[in-house]
Amino acid sequence: MSDCLFCKILAGEIPSDKVYEDDKMYVFKDLYPKADVHLLAIPRVHIESLNEVSDEHDGVIAHMMKQLPKLAKEQGLEDGFRTIINTGEGGGQVVFHLHIHLLGGKNLPGFQ
Ligand code: AMP
Ligand code: ZN
């Protein structure tokens, strides 16, 4: 956990472009955006991936899911948005602190 990139962002040790935060989650702009809007939503608690989510995380996971549509609307994504969670190396996960990609806008690429 000590060398977790997103834990360092949460601790303010690595800069990030913050969009939203509360006691359970933190949301910031992806450094290499794949669409007009590309945010990353992370729990404050370090969870490696969806594989490590358990009953104790019910509250934070439900909270994050309910915040996403609000965040999308605040970004001007009135007609919809895409969420992606990459899980494990086989799922394309590069940073092992659970994160939800929130993407949208005119240049949203097709989902392959
Ligand atoms: P994933 O492949 O699902 O693990 O996604 C990791 C995401 O983190 C990628 O979309 C990267 O562009 C993004 N990323 C990597 N480093 C940073 C950083 N320092 N600040 C913001 N986003 C980052
Ligand atoms: Zn972490």
Side-chain angles (χ1 to χ4, degrees), residues 32-63:
Y32 308 102
K34 312 279 189 308
D36 289 348
V37 175
H38 187 174
L39 306 182
L40 298 173
I42 63 175
R44 286 197 180 277
V45 61
H46 178 87
I47 307 169
E48 273 198 26
S49 80
L50 218 44
N51 283 327
E52 283 72 33
V53 170
S54 63
D55 292 350
E56 65 181 294
H57 304 123
D58 283 357
V60 66
I61 298 297
H63 175 76

PDB file of all heavy atoms in Angstrom, residues 32-63:
ATOM      1  N   TYR A  32      -4.086  10.955 -18.499  1.00  0.00           N
ATOM      2  CA  TYR A  32      -4.009  10.659 -19.942  1.00  0.00           C
ATOM      3  C   TYR A  32      -5.413  10.359 -20.449  1.00  0.00           C
ATOM      4  O   TYR A  32      -5.756   9.196 -20.722  1.00  0.00           O
ATOM      5  CB  TYR A  32      -3.084   9.466 -20.178  1.00  0.00           C
ATOM      6  CG  TYR A  32      -1.724   9.613 -19.538  1.00  0.00           C
ATOM      7  CD1 TYR A  32      -1.417   8.949 -18.337  1.00  0.00           C
ATOM      8  CD2 TYR A  32      -0.749  10.438 -20.090  1.00  0.00           C
ATOM      9  CE1 TYR A  32      -0.179   9.102 -17.723  1.00  0.00           C
ATOM     10  CE2 TYR A  32       0.486  10.596 -19.481  1.00  0.00           C
ATOM     11  CZ  TYR A  32       0.762   9.915 -18.302  1.00  0.00           C
ATOM     12  OH  TYR A  32       1.983  10.073 -17.693  1.00  0.00           O
ATOM     13  N   PRO A  33      -6.242  11.428 -20.585  1.00  0.00           N
ATOM     14  CA  PRO A  33      -7.668  11.217 -20.875  1.00  0.00           C
ATOM     15  C   PRO A  33      -7.919  10.511 -22.195  1.00  0.00           C
ATOM     16  O   PRO A  33      -7.277  10.812 -23.203  1.00  0.00           O
ATOM     17  CB  PRO A  33      -8.237  12.643 -20.877  1.00  0.00           C
ATOM     18  CG  PRO A  33      -7.059  13.543 -21.054  1.00  0.00           C
ATOM     19  CD  PRO A  33      -5.882  12.838 -20.471  1.00  0.00           C
ATOM     20  N   LYS A  34      -8.866   9.559 -22.159  1.00  0.00           N
ATOM     21  CA  LYS A  34      -9.247   8.799 -23.351  1.00  0.00           C
ATOM     22  C   LYS A  34     -10.552   9.332 -23.951  1.00  0.00           C
ATOM     23  O   LYS A  34     -11.075   8.751 -24.898  1.00  0.00           O
ATOM     24  CB  LYS A  34      -9.441   7.316 -22.989  1.00  0.00           C
ATOM     25  CG  LYS A  34      -8.325   6.699 -22.155  1.00  0.00           C
ATOM     26  CD  LYS A  34      -7.140   6.291 -22.984  1.00  0.00           C
ATOM     27  CE  LYS A  34      -6.119   5.472 -22.192  1.00  0.00           C
ATOM     28  NZ  LYS A  34      -5.668   6.063 -20.920  1.00  0.00           N
ATOM     29  N   ALA A  35     -11.087  10.411 -23.387  1.00  0.00           N
ATOM     30  CA  ALA A  35     -12.320  11.020 -23.883  1.00  0.00           C
ATOM     31  C   ALA A  35     -12.343  12.468 -23.392  1.00  0.00           C
ATOM     32  O   ALA A  35     -11.493  12.872 -22.585  1.00  0.00           O
ATOM     33  CB  ALA A  35     -13.533  10.252 -23.362  1.00  0.00           C
ATOM     34  N   ASP A  36     -13.317  13.254 -23.893  1.00  0.00           N
ATOM     35  CA  ASP A  36     -13.409  14.668 -23.487  1.00  0.00           C
ATOM     36  C   ASP A  36     -13.458  14.787 -21.969  1.00  0.00           C
ATOM     37  O   ASP A  36     -12.812  15.655 -21.377  1.00  0.00           O
ATOM     38  CB  ASP A  36     -14.672  15.301 -24.077  1.00  0.00           C
ATOM     39  CG  ASP A  36     -14.562  15.487 -25.581  1.00  0.00           C
ATOM     40  OD1 ASP A  36     -13.440  15.343 -26.106  1.00  0.00           O
ATOM     41  OD2 ASP A  36     -15.591  15.763 -26.224  1.00  0.00           O
ATOM     42  N   VAL A  37     -14.282  13.924 -21.369  1.00  0.00           N
ATOM     43  CA  VAL A  37     -14.331  13.841 -19.902  1.00  0.00           C
ATOM     44  C   VAL A  37     -13.804  12.470 -19.508  1.00  0.00           C
ATOM     45  O   VAL A  37     -14.284  11.445 -20.022  1.00  0.00           O
ATOM     46  CB  VAL A  37     -15.771  14.011 -19.371  1.00  0.00           C
ATOM     47  CG1 VAL A  37     -15.815  13.796 -17.860  1.00  0.00           C
ATOM     48  CG2 VAL A  37     -16.321  15.385 -19.748  1.00  0.00           C
ATOM     49  N   HIS A  38     -12.804  12.427 -18.669  1.00  0.00           N
ATOM     50  CA  HIS A  38     -12.262  11.158 -18.184  1.00  0.00           C
ATOM     51  C   HIS A  38     -11.821  11.362 -16.739  1.00  0.00           C
ATOM     52  O   HIS A  38     -10.758  11.922 -16.462  1.00  0.00           O
ATOM     53  CB  HIS A  38     -11.081  10.692 -19.056  1.00  0.00           C
ATOM     54  CG  HIS A  38     -10.599   9.301 -18.707  1.00  0.00           C
ATOM     55  ND1 HIS A  38      -9.641   8.640 -19.447  1.00  0.00           N
ATOM     56  CD2 HIS A  38     -10.935   8.457 -17.695  1.00  0.00           C
ATOM     57  CE1 HIS A  38      -9.408   7.442 -18.911  1.00  0.00           C
ATOM     58  NE2 HIS A  38     -10.187   7.321 -17.846  1.00  0.00           N
ATOM     59  N   LEU A  39     -12.682  10.913 -15.840  1.00  0.00           N
ATOM     60  CA  LEU A  39     -12.401  11.034 -14.406  1.00  0.00           C
ATOM     61  C   LEU A  39     -12.088   9.670 -13.826  1.00  0.00           C
ATOM     62  O   LEU A  39     -12.486   8.637 -14.377  1.00  0.00           O
ATOM     63  CB  LEU A  39     -13.615  11.608 -13.667  1.00  0.00           C
ATOM     64  CG  LEU A  39     -14.205  12.929 -14.167  1.00  0.00           C
ATOM     65  CD1 LEU A  39     -15.376  13.344 -13.266  1.00  0.00           C
ATOM     66  CD2 LEU A  39     -13.152  14.027 -14.212  1.00  0.00           C
ATOM     67  N   LEU A  40     -11.397   9.682 -12.696  1.00  0.00           N
ATOM     68  CA  LEU A  40     -11.158   8.467 -11.918  1.00  0.00           C
ATOM     69  C   LEU A  40     -11.756   8.675 -10.539  1.00  0.00           C
ATOM     70  O   LEU A  40     -11.459   9.684  -9.870  1.00  0.00           O
ATOM     71  CB  LEU A  40      -9.658   8.182 -11.787  1.00  0.00           C
ATOM     72  CG  LEU A  40      -8.902   7.931 -13.098  1.00  0.00           C
ATOM     73  CD1 LEU A  40      -7.392   7.840 -12.830  1.00  0.00           C
ATOM     74  CD2 LEU A  40      -9.391   6.671 -13.792  1.00  0.00           C
ATOM     75  N   ALA A  41     -12.623   7.769 -10.129  1.00  0.00           N
ATOM     76  CA  ALA A  41     -13.230   7.814  -8.796  1.00  0.00           C
ATOM     77  C   ALA A  41     -12.629   6.695  -7.967  1.00  0.00           C
ATOM     78  O   ALA A  41     -12.654   5.527  -8.383  1.00  0.00           O
ATOM     79  CB  ALA A  41     -14.746   7.651  -8.896  1.00  0.00           C
ATOM     80  N   ILE A  42     -12.074   7.055  -6.803  1.00  0.00           N
ATOM     81  CA  ILE A  42     -11.404   6.054  -5.964  1.00  0.00           C
ATOM     82  C   ILE A  42     -11.942   6.124  -4.535  1.00  0.00           C
ATOM     83  O   ILE A  42     -12.295   7.197  -4.036  1.00  0.00           O
ATOM     84  CB  ILE A  42      -9.864   6.229  -5.952  1.00  0.00           C
ATOM     85  CG1 ILE A  42      -9.441   7.567  -5.351  1.00  0.00           C
ATOM     86  CG2 ILE A  42      -9.313   6.101  -7.367  1.00  0.00           C
ATOM     87  CD1 ILE A  42      -7.920   7.728  -5.202  1.00  0.00           C
ATOM     88  N   PRO A  43     -11.977   4.957  -3.856  1.00  0.00           N
ATOM     89  CA  PRO A  43     -12.317   4.977  -2.431  1.00  0.00           C
ATOM     90  C   PRO A  43     -11.115   5.472  -1.626  1.00  0.00           C
ATOM     91  O   PRO A  43      -9.963   5.257  -2.027  1.00  0.00           O
ATOM     92  CB  PRO A  43     -12.603   3.498  -2.133  1.00  0.00           C
ATOM     93  CG  PRO A  43     -11.779   2.740  -3.128  1.00  0.00           C
ATOM     94  CD  PRO A  43     -11.705   3.606  -4.365  1.00  0.00           C
ATOM     95  N   ARG A  44     -11.390   6.131  -0.493  1.00  0.00           N
ATOM     96  CA  ARG A  44     -10.274   6.558   0.364  1.00  0.00           C
ATOM     97  C   ARG A  44      -9.562   5.348   0.963  1.00  0.00           C
ATOM     98  O   ARG A  44      -8.350   5.383   1.184  1.00  0.00           O
ATOM     99  CB  ARG A  44     -10.777   7.468   1.482  1.00  0.00           C
ATOM    100  CG  ARG A  44     -11.145   8.854   0.992  1.00  0.00           C
ATOM    101  CD  ARG A  44     -11.248   9.852   2.124  1.00  0.00           C
ATOM    102  NE  ARG A  44     -11.602  11.160   1.591  1.00  0.00           N
ATOM    103  CZ  ARG A  44     -10.719  12.025   1.085  1.00  0.00           C
ATOM    104  NH1 ARG A  44      -9.434  11.739   1.086  1.00  0.00           N
ATOM    105  NH2 ARG A  44     -11.115  13.180   0.599  1.00  0.00           N
ATOM    106  N   VAL A  45     -10.331   4.297   1.210  1.00  0.00           N
ATOM    107  CA  VAL A  45      -9.722   3.084   1.740  1.00  0.00           C
ATOM    108  C   VAL A  45      -9.004   2.362   0.595  1.00  0.00           C
ATOM    109  O   VAL A  45      -9.497   2.336  -0.540  1.00  0.00           O
ATOM    110  CB  VAL A  45     -10.798   2.184   2.390  1.00  0.00           C
ATOM    111  CG1 VAL A  45     -11.864   1.737   1.397  1.00  0.00           C
ATOM    112  CG2 VAL A  45     -10.170   0.969   3.060  1.00  0.00           C
ATOM    113  N   HIS A  46      -7.818   1.806   0.902  1.00  0.00           N
ATOM    114  CA  HIS A  46      -7.066   1.086  -0.122  1.00  0.00           C
ATOM    115  C   HIS A  46      -7.673  -0.297  -0.344  1.00  0.00           C
ATOM    116  O   HIS A  46      -7.604  -1.159   0.523  1.00  0.00           O
ATOM    117  CB  HIS A  46      -5.590   0.957   0.274  1.00  0.00           C
ATOM    118  CG  HIS A  46      -4.772   0.178  -0.723  1.00  0.00           C
ATOM    119  ND1 HIS A  46      -4.186   0.777  -1.823  1.00  0.00           N
ATOM    120  CD2 HIS A  46      -4.494  -1.135  -0.816  1.00  0.00           C
ATOM    121  CE1 HIS A  46      -3.568  -0.152  -2.532  1.00  0.00           C
ATOM    122  NE2 HIS A  46      -3.730  -1.326  -1.943  1.00  0.00           N
ATOM    123  N   ILE A  47      -8.274  -0.481  -1.521  1.00  0.00           N
ATOM    124  CA  ILE A  47      -8.767  -1.792  -1.963  1.00  0.00           C
ATOM    125  C   ILE A  47      -8.053  -2.049  -3.286  1.00  0.00           C
ATOM    126  O   ILE A  47      -8.109  -1.199  -4.189  1.00  0.00           O
ATOM    127  CB  ILE A  47     -10.299  -1.783  -2.206  1.00  0.00           C
ATOM    128  CG1 ILE A  47     -11.061  -1.247  -0.988  1.00  0.00           C
ATOM    129  CG2 ILE A  47     -10.784  -3.176  -2.584  1.00  0.00           C
ATOM    130  CD1 ILE A  47     -12.543  -0.967  -1.249  1.00  0.00           C
ATOM    131  N   GLU A  48      -7.370  -3.186  -3.391  1.00  0.00           N
ATOM    132  CA  GLU A  48      -6.547  -3.406  -4.583  1.00  0.00           C
ATOM    133  C   GLU A  48      -7.342  -3.427  -5.876  1.00  0.00           C
ATOM    134  O   GLU A  48      -6.941  -2.847  -6.883  1.00  0.00           O
ATOM    135  CB  GLU A  48      -5.776  -4.731  -4.448  1.00  0.00           C
ATOM    136  CG  GLU A  48      -4.467  -4.576  -3.725  1.00  0.00           C
ATOM    137  CD  GLU A  48      -3.528  -5.746  -3.966  1.00  0.00           C
ATOM    138  OE1 GLU A  48      -3.633  -6.412  -5.016  1.00  0.00           O
ATOM    139  OE2 GLU A  48      -2.692  -5.987  -3.096  1.00  0.00           O
ATOM    140  N   SER A  49      -8.448  -4.141  -5.857  1.00  0.00           N
ATOM    141  CA  SER A  49      -9.247  -4.267  -7.074  1.00  0.00           C
ATOM    142  C   SER A  49     -10.628  -4.772  -6.692  1.00  0.00           C
ATOM    143  O   SER A  49     -10.900  -5.043  -5.509  1.00  0.00           O
ATOM    144  CB  SER A  49      -8.596  -5.254  -8.063  1.00  0.00           C
ATOM    145  OG  SER A  49      -8.877  -6.601  -7.688  1.00  0.00           O
ATOM    146  N   LEU A  50     -11.470  -4.951  -7.704  1.00  0.00           N
ATOM    147  CA  LEU A  50     -12.804  -5.502  -7.448  1.00  0.00           C
ATOM    148  C   LEU A  50     -12.708  -6.887  -6.810  1.00  0.00           C
ATOM    149  O   LEU A  50     -13.601  -7.289  -6.061  1.00  0.00           O
ATOM    150  CB  LEU A  50     -13.556  -5.577  -8.783  1.00  0.00           C
ATOM    151  CG  LEU A  50     -15.051  -5.268  -8.834  1.00  0.00           C
ATOM    152  CD1 LEU A  50     -15.428  -4.034  -8.036  1.00  0.00           C
ATOM    153  CD2 LEU A  50     -15.500  -5.148 -10.279  1.00  0.00           C
ATOM    154  N   ASN A  51     -11.609  -7.613  -7.072  1.00  0.00           N
ATOM    155  CA  ASN A  51     -11.417  -8.947  -6.482  1.00  0.00           C
ATOM    156  C   ASN A  51     -11.348  -8.909  -4.967  1.00  0.00           C
ATOM    157  O   ASN A  51     -11.614  -9.914  -4.311  1.00  0.00           O
ATOM    158  CB  ASN A  51     -10.122  -9.580  -7.012  1.00  0.00           C
ATOM    159  CG  ASN A  51     -10.262 -10.130  -8.412  1.00  0.00           C
ATOM    160  OD1 ASN A  51     -11.329 -10.598  -8.782  1.00  0.00           O
ATOM    161  ND2 ASN A  51      -9.190 -10.067  -9.185  1.00  0.00           N
ATOM    162  N   GLU A  52     -10.933  -7.779  -4.413  1.00  0.00           N
ATOM    163  CA  GLU A  52     -10.746  -7.676  -2.957  1.00  0.00           C
ATOM    164  C   GLU A  52     -11.927  -7.015  -2.260  1.00  0.00           C
ATOM    165  O   GLU A  52     -11.880  -6.785  -1.041  1.00  0.00           O
ATOM    166  CB  GLU A  52      -9.459  -6.904  -2.637  1.00  0.00           C
ATOM    167  CG  GLU A  52      -8.186  -7.711  -2.810  1.00  0.00           C
ATOM    168  CD  GLU A  52      -7.835  -7.967  -4.267  1.00  0.00           C
ATOM    169  OE1 GLU A  52      -8.119  -7.099  -5.109  1.00  0.00           O
ATOM    170  OE2 GLU A  52      -7.273  -9.051  -4.561  1.00  0.00           O
ATOM    171  N   VAL A  53     -12.978  -6.677  -2.998  1.00  0.00           N
ATOM    172  CA  VAL A  53     -14.149  -6.051  -2.374  1.00  0.00           C
ATOM    173  C   VAL A  53     -14.895  -7.090  -1.545  1.00  0.00           C
ATOM    174  O   VAL A  53     -15.136  -8.208  -2.001  1.00  0.00           O
ATOM    175  CB  VAL A  53     -15.078  -5.439  -3.443  1.00  0.00           C
ATOM    176  CG1 VAL A  53     -16.407  -5.002  -2.822  1.00  0.00           C
ATOM    177  CG2 VAL A  53     -14.397  -4.258  -4.118  1.00  0.00           C
ATOM    178  N   SER A  54     -15.238  -6.718  -0.308  1.00  0.00           N
ATOM    179  CA  SER A  54     -15.978  -7.638   0.570  1.00  0.00           C
ATOM    180  C   SER A  54     -17.085  -6.878   1.298  1.00  0.00           C
ATOM    181  O   SER A  54     -17.252  -5.663   1.098  1.00  0.00           O
ATOM    182  CB  SER A  54     -15.019  -8.293   1.571  1.00  0.00           C
ATOM    183  OG  SER A  54     -14.444  -7.306   2.401  1.00  0.00           O
ATOM    184  N   ASP A  55     -17.826  -7.603   2.162  1.00  0.00           N
ATOM    185  CA  ASP A  55     -18.992  -7.018   2.822  1.00  0.00           C
ATOM    186  C   ASP A  55     -18.661  -5.709   3.545  1.00  0.00           C
ATOM    187  O   ASP A  55     -19.486  -4.803   3.594  1.00  0.00           O
ATOM    188  CB  ASP A  55     -19.574  -8.014   3.842  1.00  0.00           C
ATOM    189  CG  ASP A  55     -20.191  -9.228   3.158  1.00  0.00           C
ATOM    190  OD1 ASP A  55     -20.336  -9.201   1.920  1.00  0.00           O
ATOM    191  OD2 ASP A  55     -20.524 -10.191   3.868  1.00  0.00           O
ATOM    192  N   GLU A  56     -17.469  -5.618   4.094  1.00  0.00           N
ATOM    193  CA  GLU A  56     -17.110  -4.411   4.854  1.00  0.00           C
ATOM    194  C   GLU A  56     -17.071  -3.165   3.969  1.00  0.00           C
ATOM    195  O   GLU A  56     -17.074  -2.036   4.463  1.00  0.00           O
ATOM    196  CB  GLU A  56     -15.741  -4.591   5.528  1.00  0.00           C
ATOM    197  CG  GLU A  56     -14.599  -4.723   4.543  1.00  0.00           C
ATOM    198  CD  GLU A  56     -13.234  -4.917   5.213  1.00  0.00           C
ATOM    199  OE1 GLU A  56     -12.763  -3.996   5.888  1.00  0.00           O
ATOM    200  OE2 GLU A  56     -12.661  -5.997   5.039  1.00  0.00           O
ATOM    201  N   HIS A  57     -17.026  -3.371   2.646  1.00  0.00           N
ATOM    202  CA  HIS A  57     -16.958  -2.242   1.725  1.00  0.00           C
ATOM    203  C   HIS A  57     -18.317  -1.838   1.153  1.00  0.00           C
ATOM    204  O   HIS A  57     -18.388  -0.950   0.306  1.00  0.00           O
ATOM    205  CB  HIS A  57     -16.000  -2.564   0.566  1.00  0.00           C
ATOM    206  CG  HIS A  57     -14.629  -2.945   1.005  1.00  0.00           C
ATOM    207  ND1 HIS A  57     -14.021  -4.140   0.673  1.00  0.00           N
ATOM    208  CD2 HIS A  57     -13.735  -2.282   1.788  1.00  0.00           C
ATOM    209  CE1 HIS A  57     -12.824  -4.197   1.215  1.00  0.00           C
ATOM    210  NE2 HIS A  57     -12.625  -3.093   1.900  1.00  0.00           N
ATOM    211  N   ASP A  58     -19.380  -2.508   1.598  1.00  0.00           N
ATOM    212  CA  ASP A  58     -20.706  -2.238   1.026  1.00  0.00           C
ATOM    213  C   ASP A  58     -21.044  -0.748   1.028  1.00  0.00           C
ATOM    214  O   ASP A  58     -21.517  -0.208   0.025  1.00  0.00           O
ATOM    215  CB  ASP A  58     -21.793  -2.993   1.805  1.00  0.00           C
ATOM    216  CG  ASP A  58     -21.822  -4.478   1.452  1.00  0.00           C
ATOM    217  OD1 ASP A  58     -21.049  -4.910   0.572  1.00  0.00           O
ATOM    218  OD2 ASP A  58     -22.625  -5.208   2.072  1.00  0.00           O
ATOM    219  N   GLY A  59     -20.781  -0.109   2.145  1.00  0.00           N
ATOM    220  CA  GLY A  59     -21.146   1.301   2.276  1.00  0.00           C
ATOM    221  C   GLY A  59     -20.423   2.186   1.279  1.00  0.00           C
ATOM    222  O   GLY A  59     -21.044   3.006   0.591  1.00  0.00           O
ATOM    223  N   VAL A  60     -19.120   2.003   1.171  1.00  0.00           N
ATOM    224  CA  VAL A  60     -18.340   2.876   0.293  1.00  0.00           C
ATOM    225  C   VAL A  60     -18.659   2.600  -1.187  1.00  0.00           C
ATOM    226  O   VAL A  60     -18.752   3.523  -1.990  1.00  0.00           O
ATOM    227  CB  VAL A  60     -16.817   2.783   0.589  1.00  0.00           C
ATOM    228  CG1 VAL A  60     -16.250   1.430   0.268  1.00  0.00           C
ATOM    229  CG2 VAL A  60     -16.048   3.846  -0.171  1.00  0.00           C
ATOM    230  N   ILE A  61     -18.844   1.328  -1.527  1.00  0.00           N
ATOM    231  CA  ILE A  61     -19.146   0.991  -2.926  1.00  0.00           C
ATOM    232  C   ILE A  61     -20.508   1.561  -3.330  1.00  0.00           C
ATOM    233  O   ILE A  61     -20.638   2.190  -4.395  1.00  0.00           O
ATOM    234  CB  ILE A  61     -19.112  -0.538  -3.152  1.00  0.00           C
ATOM    235  CG1 ILE A  61     -17.713  -1.097  -2.877  1.00  0.00           C
ATOM    236  CG2 ILE A  61     -19.573  -0.891  -4.560  1.00  0.00           C
ATOM    237  CD1 ILE A  61     -16.615  -0.584  -3.781  1.00  0.00           C
ATOM    238  N   ALA A  62     -21.497   1.382  -2.484  1.00  0.00           N
ATOM    239  CA  ALA A  62     -22.832   1.923  -2.796  1.00  0.00           C
ATOM    240  C   ALA A  62     -22.772   3.438  -2.908  1.00  0.00           C
ATOM    241  O   ALA A  62     -23.364   4.032  -3.818  1.00  0.00           O
ATOM    242  CB  ALA A  62     -23.829   1.506  -1.713  1.00  0.00           C
ATOM    243  N   HIS A  63     -22.045   4.060  -2.007  1.00  0.00           N
ATOM    244  CA  HIS A  63     -21.913   5.518  -2.030  1.00  0.00           C
ATOM    245  C   HIS A  63     -21.284   5.992  -3.337  1.00  0.00           C
ATOM    246  O   HIS A  63     -21.769   6.941  -3.966  1.00  0.00           O
ATOM    247  CB  HIS A  63     -21.070   5.973  -0.840  1.00  0.00           C
ATOM    248  CG  HIS A  63     -20.790   7.437  -0.838  1.00  0.00           C
ATOM    249  ND1 HIS A  63     -21.744   8.370  -0.484  1.00  0.00           N
ATOM    250  CD2 HIS A  63     -19.682   8.141  -1.189  1.00  0.00           C
ATOM    251  CE1 HIS A  63     -21.215   9.581  -0.604  1.00  0.00           C
ATOM    252  NE2 HIS A  63     -19.979   9.469  -1.027  1.00  0.00           N
TER     253      HIS A  63
END
